[in-house]
Amino acid sequence: MSQVFSEETHRNLLARIPHCTGREVSDWLRAVDEGPSLFRFEEKVSWLRAEHNLAYGHAKAIIHEYDLRRAARKFL
């Protein structure tokens, strides 16, 4: 069962990712974009965790942000 983070928690996790991982959020979003074509949210999270050894919360925040930005691009 996946955890549901508030918008504030999501923003806090994103802000901490560069410090905790040594890479900017934009780098992680590019990695997801260039990664395997996975459809389900949890598959993407699992891939990030396995491939890059990320914590669950950070991986989930990255995928959530990726999905938000992707949806915004389609909307425009």
Side-chain angles (χ1 to χ4, degrees):
M1 176 180 223
S2 68
Q3 300 169 322
V4 177
F5 296 137
S6 70
E7 184 63 27
E8 180 182 2
T9 300
H10 174 68
R11 293 288 159 217
N12 288 338
L13 280 167
L14 284 181
R16 292 193 43 77
I17 285 173
H19 173 74
C20 295
T21 68
R23 292 175 66 180
E24 294 296 321
V25 172
S26 59
D27 294 336
W28 288 114
L29 297 175
R30 192 174 316 106
V32 173
D33 198 42
E34 295 170 355
S37 296
L38 302 170
F39 294 103
R40 293 180 51 231
F41 183 87
E42 287 298 329
E43 288 176 326
K44 294 174 191 176
V45 172
S46 294
W47 172 77
L48 262 185
R49 294 185 71 206
E51 187 72 20
H52 298 285
N53 198 30
L54 289 177
Y56 177 76
H58 291 142
K60 184 175 176 179
I62 290 166
I63 298 301
H64 182 63
E65 187 67 19
Y66 178 82
D67 288 347
L68 287 173
R69 290 183 186 194
R70 187 171 168 211
R73 284 193 309 256
K74 285 184 178 179
F75 185 71
L76 297 175

